Amino acid sequence: MSKKDEFNKIIINSLNSDLDNFDNSKFKINLNRIAFIFIVIFIIIILYSTRIIYLSSKTFENQKYNLNQINRADITDRNGNYISKSVFTTNVGVDPKMVRDKKKLLIKLQYTFPEKDISEIREKLSGENFFYIKKKVTPERFQKIKLLGEKSIRLEPKITRIYPDKNLFSHILGQIDDNNNGISGIEKSFDKKLKDGRKQLILTLDKELQFIIRNELINAQNIFKSIGGTGILMDINNGEILSLVSIPDFNLNQRENLDDKKFINRATKGVYELGSVFKTFTIAAGLNYNLISPTDIFTNIEKQMKCGGRTISEYDENLPKDLSVADILIYSSNIGSVKVGQIIGKEKMKEFLDLIGVLNKMEFDIEEIGRPLPFKWRNCKLKTISYGHGITTTPIQLARGYAILSNGGYQVNPTLIKKKSNNLKRKKILNDDVSPKINSILRKVVTDGTASLSDVEGYEIGGKTGTALIVENGIYTSKKINTFASVFPISDPKYVLVILLEDTKLSKDYIYKYRNKPGSFKGTPFNTAGWTSVEIAGKIIDKIGPILATKY
């Protein structure tokens, strides 16, 4: 045996001897000590992590409690449907100065926010400024973030305003900023009440009616290629607005800064020359001051008349030379209206238009309200105003004017806010016989005159059309504003519906269906209110009529 083999044998024997002398009990004690130490360390880690999560959660809850002190009240329609609601959401950010292990934090963030660019977050972590990772996180993701246990992650509870119907009430509700302040619409006008109150703010609007009218106005845009339009449905007795739509509108949830004028609230902010719908005011003024009666005849009415170097003409050269006061409105005679206006005179005409509230800026529930353009009352101006030329107002004021003419002559103030009391105190401002006479003529405008396409069976529509030229840079263009102001049912008036379409065009493919006789025809023959706004109003009344009959 070699020396090397002898040495290996000695080492093996020595190891065998050590193993024989090994104390199993001591080995077990050492293992138990190690296990105990491991368990203690593990418990300390769990307690420390729980403490961090608790403290961060407690801070979050305290912040949320403080936010609750400035919570905004919800807004509903008249039937209790939420149309603006406050909810708590969370913004998640990181304070780089609080980060202990950047690599570990990045791994956690990448796992929690897989859609985020981790290189961008890494770059921001190199700085010292706080930054947001995600705003308005979902409840599920919020729970994941809490479990991360990172002191550098800051959870900021925020009040977010949500609008379930997106565009539907955009011009009415308006928006709030990031600091919970109303900046437009109802949100601004009732900012203090919404912040301080715990009760819902109930509006007069009906969500179902709003949807129908908006949908038909959008259809009108597609049919007549109009750049915009508005629809107002109002109770003529108490002024409650059941629907107010302006097209184009916008999604309130996107919080856009809208500077484009096409998004103005055309119903309240838009100031327009509206044309022949003003002829109704001229006839009503004459009736109110007992200067004319519906059966009075104007003979030998000329087809043209000079006014300040310009010519006033009839839109229809085939109108009879002799027209009664009623016929002047039914067939929309410009010259006939001028003659009535001359009988009334400047002072009384001004007094009457001021009385029904179409001359000056109107007080309303939202700040977005237009101011009719001022003008000087001269002889020529009296002539043009008599048939709706050279005078402006807003669609909401037009609706109020028609409501007063048709409701028995009582003052009415349009409102979007539902009142608790139904006790209606009304002020009489027109003579008793004005409404019956005007309503009778308005009905004939639909059955025999320029608004036959709105004659929906069973609803007794009365109304007046108005076609006016759009003014741009002080010059009349060939573009049209087409308006139809209607009242129904005319035998017992309850509602006024105003439909305005801006810059309509002829539609060669649209199919019209006669309402007062069988048949149909294709294509828009004239770009006037009678062929555009009246058609849309008829379609709207056809759909909202059954709802109004059953609900109200």
Side-chain angles (χ1 to χ4, degrees), residues 399-468:
R400 176 170 69 174
Y402 270 73
I404 293 169
L405 298 191
S406 297
N407 71 5
Y410 291 95
Q411 180 63 273
V412 61
N413 296 310
T415 182
L416 291 165
I417 307 303
K418 186 68 177 170
K419 304 296 191 297
K420 292 181 179 179
S421 175
N422 291 323
N423 295 328
L424 188 62
K425 296 180 180 179
R426 300 195 296 172
K427 179 183 177 182
K428 186 86 165 177
I429 61 174
L430 301 183
N431 292 334
D432 290 339
D433 61 345
V434 174
S435 289
K437 291 175 181 177
I438 281 293
N439 290 339
S440 176
I441 301 173
L442 292 179
R443 176 59 181 154
K444 289 179 181 177
V445 173
V446 173
T447 58
D448 305 331
T450 57
S452 61
L453 290 174
S454 69
D455 193 14
V456 182
E457 186 177 358
Y459 294 104
E460 290 185 293
I461 315 301
K464 183 68 188 79
T465 55
T467 300

Coordinates of all heavy atoms in Angstrom, one line a residue, residues 399-468:
A399 N -89.5 81.7 -27.5 CA -90.4 80.7 -26.8 C -91.3 81.4 -25.8 O -92.5 81.1 -25.6 CB -89.6 79.6 -26.3
R400 N -90.6 82.2 -25.0 CA -91.4 82.9 -23.9 C -92.4 83.8 -24.5 O -93.6 83.9 -24.0 CB -90.4 83.8 -23.0 CG -91.2 84.6 -22.0 CD -90.3 85.2 -21.0 NE -89.5 86.3 -21.5 CZ -88.7 87.1 -20.8 NH1 -88.6 86.9 -19.5 NH2 -87.9 88.0 -21.4
G401 N -92.1 84.6 -25.6 CA -93.0 85.4 -26.2 C -94.3 84.7 -26.7 O -95.4 85.1 -26.5
Y402 N -94.1 83.6 -27.4 CA -95.2 82.8 -27.9 C -96.0 82.2 -26.7 O -97.2 82.0 -26.8 CB -94.7 81.7 -28.8 CG -94.7 82.1 -30.3 CD1 -93.7 83.0 -30.7 CD2 -95.6 81.7 -31.2 CE1 -93.6 83.5 -32.0 CE2 -95.6 82.1 -32.5 CZ -94.6 83.0 -32.9 OH -94.6 83.5 -34.2
A403 N -95.3 81.8 -25.6 CA -96.0 81.3 -24.5 C -97.0 82.3 -23.9 O -98.2 82.0 -23.6 CB -95.0 80.9 -23.4
I404 N -96.5 83.6 -23.8 CA -97.4 84.7 -23.3 C -98.6 84.9 -24.2 O -99.7 85.1 -23.7 CB -96.5 85.9 -23.1 CG1 -95.5 85.7 -22.0 CG2 -97.4 87.1 -22.7 CD1 -94.5 86.8 -21.9
L405 N -98.3 84.9 -25.5 CA -99.4 85.2 -26.5 C -100.5 84.1 -26.4 O -101.7 84.4 -26.6 CB -98.9 85.2 -27.9 CG -97.9 86.3 -28.2 CD1 -97.7 86.4 -29.8 CD2 -98.3 87.7 -27.7
S406 N -100.1 82.9 -26.1 CA -101.0 81.7 -26.1 C -101.6 81.3 -24.8 O -102.6 80.5 -24.8 CB -100.3 80.5 -26.8 OG -99.9 80.8 -28.1
N407 N -101.0 81.7 -23.7 CA -101.5 81.2 -22.4 C -102.5 82.0 -21.7 O -102.8 81.8 -20.5 CB -100.3 81.0 -21.4 CG -99.7 82.3 -20.9 OD1 -100.2 83.4 -21.2 ND2 -98.6 82.2 -20.2
G408 N -103.1 82.9 -22.4 CA -104.1 83.8 -21.8 C -103.5 85.2 -21.6 O -104.2 86.0 -21.0
G409 N -102.3 85.4 -21.9 CA -101.7 86.7 -21.7 C -101.0 86.9 -20.4 O -100.8 88.0 -19.9
Y410 N -100.6 85.8 -19.8 CA -99.9 85.8 -18.5 C -98.4 85.8 -18.6 O -97.8 85.1 -19.5 CB -100.3 84.6 -17.6 CG -101.7 84.7 -17.2 CD1 -102.7 84.0 -17.9 CD2 -102.1 85.3 -16.0 CE1 -104.0 84.0 -17.5 CE2 -103.4 85.4 -15.6 CZ -104.4 84.7 -16.3 OH -105.7 84.8 -16.0
Q411 N -97.7 86.6 -17.8 CA -96.3 86.6 -17.7 C -95.7 85.2 -17.4 O -96.3 84.5 -16.5 CB -95.8 87.6 -16.7 CG -94.3 87.8 -16.5 CD -93.6 88.3 -17.8 OE1 -93.3 87.5 -18.7 NE2 -93.4 89.6 -17.9
V412 N -94.7 84.8 -18.0 CA -94.1 83.5 -17.7 C -92.5 83.7 -17.8 O -92.0 84.4 -18.7 CB -94.5 82.5 -18.7 CG1 -94.2 82.8 -20.2 CG2 -94.0 81.1 -18.4
N413 N -91.9 83.1 -16.9 CA -90.4 83.1 -16.8 C -89.9 81.7 -17.0 O -90.0 80.8 -16.1 CB -90.0 83.7 -15.4 CG -90.4 85.1 -15.2 OD1 -90.2 86.0 -16.1 ND2 -91.0 85.4 -14.1
P414 N -89.2 81.5 -18.1 CA -88.6 80.2 -18.4 C -87.7 79.7 -17.3 O -86.9 80.6 -16.8 CB -87.9 80.4 -19.7 CG -88.6 81.5 -20.4 CD -89.0 82.4 -19.2
T415 N -87.7 78.5 -16.9 CA -86.8 78.0 -15.8 C -86.4 76.6 -16.1 O -87.2 75.8 -16.7 CB -87.5 78.1 -14.5 OG1 -86.6 77.7 -13.4 CG2 -88.8 77.3 -14.4
L416 N -85.2 76.2 -15.5 CA -84.7 74.9 -15.6 C -84.8 74.2 -14.2 O -84.5 73.0 -14.1 CB -83.2 74.9 -16.0 CG -83.0 75.3 -17.5 CD1 -81.5 75.6 -17.7 CD2 -83.4 74.2 -18.5
I417 N -85.2 74.9 -13.2 CA -85.2 74.4 -11.8 C -86.6 74.0 -11.4 O -87.5 74.9 -11.5 CB -84.6 75.5 -10.9 CG1 -83.3 76.0 -11.4 CG2 -84.5 74.9 -9.5 CD1 -82.2 74.9 -11.5
K418 N -86.8 72.8 -11.0 CA -88.1 72.3 -10.5 C -88.4 72.9 -9.2 O -87.6 72.7 -8.2 CB -88.0 70.8 -10.5 CG -89.4 70.1 -10.2 CD -90.4 70.3 -11.3 CE -91.7 69.6 -11.0 NZ -92.7 69.9 -12.0
K419 N -89.5 73.5 -9.1 CA -89.9 74.1 -7.8 C -90.7 73.1 -7.0 O -91.4 72.2 -7.5 CB -90.8 75.4 -8.1 CG -90.2 76.4 -9.0 CD -89.0 77.1 -8.4 CE -88.5 78.3 -9.2 NZ -88.1 78.0 -10.5
K420 N -90.6 73.3 -5.6 CA -91.3 72.4 -4.7 C -92.8 72.6 -4.7 O -93.6 71.7 -4.7 CB -90.8 72.6 -3.3 CG -89.4 72.1 -3.1 CD -88.9 72.3 -1.6 CE -87.5 71.8 -1.4 NZ -87.1 72.0 0.0
S421 N -93.2 73.9 -4.8 CA -94.6 74.2 -4.7 C -95.2 74.3 -6.1 O -94.6 74.8 -7.1 CB -94.8 75.5 -4.0 OG -96.2 75.9 -4.0
N422 N -96.4 73.9 -6.2 CA -97.2 74.0 -7.5 C -98.1 75.2 -7.5 O -98.9 75.4 -8.5 CB -98.0 72.7 -7.8 CG -97.1 71.5 -8.0 OD1 -96.1 71.6 -8.7 ND2 -97.5 70.3 -7.5
N423 N -98.1 76.0 -6.5 CA -98.9 77.2 -6.4 C -98.4 78.2 -7.4 O -97.3 78.8 -7.2 CB -98.9 77.8 -5.0 CG -99.6 76.8 -4.0 OD1 -100.5 76.1 -4.4 ND2 -99.1 76.8 -2.8
L424 N -99.1 78.4 -8.5 CA -98.7 79.2 -9.6 C -99.3 80.6 -9.5 O -100.5 80.7 -9.6 CB -99.0 78.6 -10.9 CG -98.4 79.3 -12.2 CD1 -96.9 79.3 -12.1 CD2 -98.9 78.6 -13.4
K425 N -98.5 81.6 -9.1 CA -99.0 83.0 -9.1 C -98.6 83.7 -10.4 O -97.4 83.9 -10.7 CB -98.5 83.7 -7.9 CG -98.9 83.2 -6.6 CD -98.3 83.9 -5.4 CE -98.7 83.3 -4.1 NZ -98.1 84.1 -2.9
R426 N -99.6 84.0 -11.2 CA -99.3 84.6 -12.5 C -99.8 86.0 -12.6 O -100.9 86.4 -12.1 CB -100.0 83.7 -13.6 CG -99.5 82.3 -13.6 CD -99.8 81.6 -14.9 NE -101.2 81.4 -15.1 CZ -101.8 81.0 -16.2 NH1 -101.0 80.6 -17.2 NH2 -103.1 80.9 -16.3
K427 N -99.1 86.8 -13.4 CA -99.4 88.2 -13.6 C -100.0 88.4 -15.0 O -99.4 88.0 -16.0 CB -98.2 89.1 -13.4 CG -98.5 90.6 -13.6 CD -97.2 91.3 -13.5 CE -97.4 92.8 -13.8 NZ -96.1 93.6 -13.7
K428 N -101.2 88.9 -15.1 CA -101.8 89.2 -16.4 C -101.2 90.4 -17.0 O -101.2 91.5 -16.4 CB -103.3 89.4 -16.2 CG -104.1 89.5 -17.4 CD -104.5 88.2 -18.0 CE -105.6 88.3 -19.0 NZ -106.0 87.0 -19.6
I429 N -100.7 90.3 -18.3 CA -100.0 91.4 -18.9 C -100.7 91.8 -20.3 O -100.4 92.8 -20.8 CB -98.5 91.2 -19.1 CG1 -98.2 90.0 -20.0 CG2 -97.8 91.1 -17.8 CD1 -96.8 89.8 -20.3
L430 N -101.5 90.9 -20.8 CA -102.2 91.1 -22.1 C -103.7 91.1 -21.9 O -104.2 90.4 -20.9 CB -101.8 90.1 -23.2 CG -100.3 90.1 -23.5 CD1 -100.1 89.1 -24.7 CD2 -99.8 91.4 -23.9
N431 N -104.4 91.7 -22.8 CA -105.9 91.6 -22.7 C -106.4 90.2 -22.9 O -105.8 89.4 -23.6 CB -106.5 92.6 -23.7 CG -106.2 94.0 -23.4 OD1 -106.0 94.4 -22.3 ND2 -106.2 94.8 -24.4
D432 N -107.6 89.9 -22.4 CA -108.2 88.6 -22.4 C -108.4 88.0 -23.8 O -108.3 86.8 -24.0 CB -109.5 88.6 -21.7 CG -109.4 88.8 -20.2 OD1 -108.2 88.5 -19.7 OD2 -110.3 89.2 -19.5
D433 N -108.7 88.9 -24.8 CA -109.1 88.4 -26.1 C -107.9 88.1 -27.0 O -108.1 87.6 -28.1 CB -110.1 89.3 -26.7 CG -109.5 90.7 -27.0 OD1 -108.5 91.0 -26.4 OD2 -110.1 91.4 -27.8
V434 N -106.7 88.5 -26.6 CA -105.5 88.3 -27.4 C -105.2 86.8 -27.7 O -105.1 86.4 -28.9 CB -104.3 89.0 -26.8 CG1 -103.0 88.7 -27.7 CG2 -104.5 90.5 -26.7
S435 N -105.2 86.0 -26.7 CA -104.8 84.6 -26.9 C -105.8 83.8 -27.7 O -105.4 83.1 -28.7 CB -104.6 83.9 -25.5 OG -103.5 84.3 -24.9
P436 N -107.1 83.9 -27.5 CA -108.0 83.2 -28.3 C -107.9 83.5 -29.8 O -108.0 82.7 -30.7 CB -109.4 83.5 -27.8 CG -109.2 83.9 -26.4 CD -107.8 84.6 -26.4
K437 N -107.7 84.8 -30.1 CA -107.7 85.3 -31.5 C -106.3 84.8 -32.1 O -106.3 84.4 -33.3 CB -107.8 86.8 -31.5 CG -109.2 87.3 -31.2 CD -109.3 88.8 -31.1 CE -110.7 89.3 -30.8 NZ -110.7 90.8 -30.6
I438 N -105.2 85.0 -31.4 CA -103.9 84.6 -31.9 C -103.9 83.1 -32.1 O -103.4 82.6 -33.2 CB -102.8 85.1 -31.0 CG1 -102.5 86.5 -31.2 CG2 -101.5 84.3 -31.2 CD1 -101.9 86.9 -32.6
N439 N -104.4 82.3 -31.2 CA -104.3 80.9 -31.3 C -105.1 80.4 -32.5 O -104.7 79.4 -33.2 CB -104.8 80.2 -30.0 CG -103.8 80.4 -28.8 OD1 -102.6 80.7 -29.1 ND2 -104.3 80.3 -27.6
S440 N -106.2 81.0 -32.7 CA -107.1 80.6 -33.9 C -106.3 80.8 -35.2 O -106.4 80.0 -36.1 CB -108.4 81.4 -33.8 OG -109.1 81.1 -35.0
I441 N -105.6 82.0 -35.3 CA -104.9 82.3 -36.5 C -103.7 81.3 -36.6 O -103.4 80.8 -37.7 CB -104.4 83.7 -36.5 CG1 -105.6 84.7 -36.4 CG2 -103.6 84.0 -37.7 CD1 -105.2 86.1 -36.2
L442 N -103.0 81.1 -35.5 CA -101.8 80.2 -35.6 C -102.2 78.8 -36.0 O -101.5 78.1 -36.7 CB -101.1 80.1 -34.2 CG -100.4 81.4 -33.7 CD1 -99.8 81.1 -32.3 CD2 -99.3 81.8 -34.7
R443 N -103.4 78.3 -35.6 CA -103.9 77.0 -36.1 C -104.1 77.0 -37.6 O -103.7 76.0 -38.3 CB -105.2 76.7 -35.4 CG -105.8 75.4 -35.8 CD -104.9 74.2 -35.6 NE -105.5 72.9 -36.0 CZ -104.9 71.9 -36.4 NH1 -103.5 71.9 -36.5 NH2 -105.5 70.8 -36.8
K444 N -104.6 78.1 -38.1 CA -104.8 78.2 -39.6 C -103.5 78.3 -40.4 O -103.4 77.9 -41.5 CB -105.7 79.4 -39.9 CG -107.1 79.2 -39.5 CD -108.0 80.4 -39.8 CE -109.4 80.2 -39.3 NZ -110.3 81.4 -39.5
V445 N -102.4 78.8 -39.7 CA -101.1 78.8 -40.4 C -100.7 77.4 -40.7 O -100.1 77.1 -41.7 CB -100.1 79.5 -39.5 CG1 -98.7 79.4 -40.1 CG2 -100.4 81.0 -39.4
V446 N -101.0 76.5 -39.8 CA -100.7 75.0 -40.0 C -101.6 74.3 -40.9 O -101.2 73.6 -41.8 CB -100.7 74.3 -38.6 CG1 -100.5 72.8 -38.8 CG2 -99.6 74.9 -37.7
T447 N -102.9 74.6 -40.8 CA -103.9 73.9 -41.7 C -103.9 74.5 -43.1 O -104.1 73.7 -44.0 CB -105.3 73.9 -41.0 OG1 -105.7 75.3 -40.9 CG2 -105.3 73.2 -39.7
D448 N -103.8 75.8 -43.2 CA -104.0 76.4 -44.5 C -102.8 77.2 -45.0 O -102.8 77.6 -46.2 CB -105.1 77.4 -44.4 CG -106.4 76.8 -43.9 OD1 -106.6 75.6 -44.1 OD2 -107.2 77.5 -43.3
G449 N -101.7 77.4 -44.2 CA -100.6 78.2 -44.6 C -99.3 77.5 -44.8 O -99.2 76.5 -45.3
T450 N -98.3 78.2 -44.2 CA -96.9 77.7 -44.5 C -96.3 76.6 -43.6 O -95.2 76.2 -43.8 CB -95.9 78.9 -44.4 OG1 -96.1 79.5 -43.0 CG2 -96.3 80.0 -45.4
A451 N -97.1 76.1 -42.7 CA -96.6 75.1 -41.8 C -97.4 73.8 -41.8 O -97.5 73.1 -40.8 CB -96.6 75.7 -40.3
S452 N -97.9 73.4 -43.0 CA -98.8 72.2 -43.1 C -98.1 70.9 -42.7 O -98.7 69.9 -42.3 CB -99.4 72.1 -44.4 OG -98.4 72.0 -45.4
L453 N -96.7 70.9 -42.9 CA -96.0 69.7 -42.7 C -95.9 69.3 -41.2 O -95.5 68.2 -40.8 CB -94.6 69.8 -43.2 CG -94.4 69.8 -44.8 CD1 -93.0 70.0 -45.2 CD2 -94.9 68.4 -45.3
S454 N -96.3 70.2 -40.3 CA -96.3 70.0 -38.9 C -97.7 69.5 -38.3 O -97.9 69.4 -37.1 CB -95.9 71.2 -38.1 OG -96.9 72.2 -38.2
D455 N -98.7 69.4 -39.2 CA -100.1 69.1 -38.8 C -100.2 67.7 -38.4 O -100.9 66.9 -39.1 CB -101.0 69.5 -39.9 CG -102.5 69.5 -39.5 OD1 -102.7 69.6 -38.2 OD2 -103.4 69.6 -40.3
V456 N -99.7 67.3 -37.3 CA -99.8 66.0 -36.7 C -101.2 65.7 -36.2 O -101.7 66.5 -35.4 CB -98.7 65.7 -35.6 CG1 -98.8 64.3 -35.1 CG2 -97.3 66.1 -36.1
E457 N -101.8 64.7 -36.7 CA -103.2 64.4 -36.4 C -103.3 64.1 -34.9 O -102.6 63.4 -34.2 CB -103.7 63.1 -37.1 CG -105.1 62.8 -36.9 CD -105.6 61.7 -37.8 OE1 -104.8 61.1 -38.5 OE2 -106.8 61.3 -37.6
G458 N -104.3 64.8 -34.3 CA -104.7 64.6 -32.9 C -104.0 65.6 -31.9 O -104.3 65.5 -30.7
Y459 N -103.1 66.4 -32.4 CA -102.4 67.3 -31.5 C -102.7 68.8 -31.7 O -102.1 69.6 -31.0 CB -100.9 67.0 -31.5 CG -100.6 65.6 -31.0 CD1 -100.2 64.6 -31.9 CD2 -100.6 65.4 -29.6 CE1 -100.0 63.3 -31.4 CE2 -100.4 64.1 -29.2 CZ -100.0 63.1 -30.1 OH -99.8 61.8 -29.6
E460 N -103.5 69.1 -32.6 CA -103.9 70.5 -32.9 C -102.7 71.5 -32.8 O -102.7 72.4 -31.9 CB -105.0 70.9 -31.8 CG -106.3 70.2 -32.0 CD -107.3 70.8 -31.0 OE1 -107.1 70.6 -29.8 OE2 -108.2 71.5 -31.4
I461 N -101.8 71.4 -33.7 CA -100.6 72.2 -33.7 C -101.0 73.6 -34.3 O -101.7 73.7 -35.3 CB -99.5 71.6 -34.6 CG1 -99.3 70.1 -34.3 CG2 -98.2 72.4 -34.4 CD1 -99.0 69.8 -32.9
G462 N -100.5 74.6 -33.7 CA -100.6 76.0 -34.2 C -99.2 76.5 -34.2 O -98.4 76.1 -33.4
G463 N -98.9 77.5 -35.1 CA -97.5 78.0 -35.1 C -97.3 79.0 -36.2 O -98.2 79.3 -37.0
K464 N -96.0 79.5 -36.3 CA -95.6 80.4 -37.3 C -94.2 80.1 -37.8 O -93.3 79.8 -37.0 CB -95.7 81.9 -36.8 CG -95.4 82.9 -37.9 CD -96.4 83.0 -39.0 CE -96.0 83.9 -40.1 NZ -95.1 83.2 -41.1
T465 N -94.0 80.2 -39.1 CA -92.7 80.0 -39.7 C -91.9 81.3 -39.8 O -92.5 82.4 -39.8 CB -92.8 79.4 -41.1 OG1 -93.6 80.3 -41.9 CG2 -93.4 78.0 -41.0
G466 N -90.6 81.2 -39.8 CA -89.8 82.3 -40.0 C -88.5 82.0 -40.8 O -87.8 81.1 -40.4
T467 N -88.2 82.6 -41.9 CA -87.0 82.4 -42.7 C -86.3 83.7 -42.8 O -86.8 84.8 -43.2 CB -87.4 81.9 -44.1 OG1 -88.1 80.7 -44.0 CG2 -86.1 81.7 -44.9
A468 N -85.0 83.7 -42.3 CA -84.2 85.0 -42.3 C -82.9 84.7 -42.9 O -82.4 83.6 -42.9 CB -84.1 85.5 -40.9

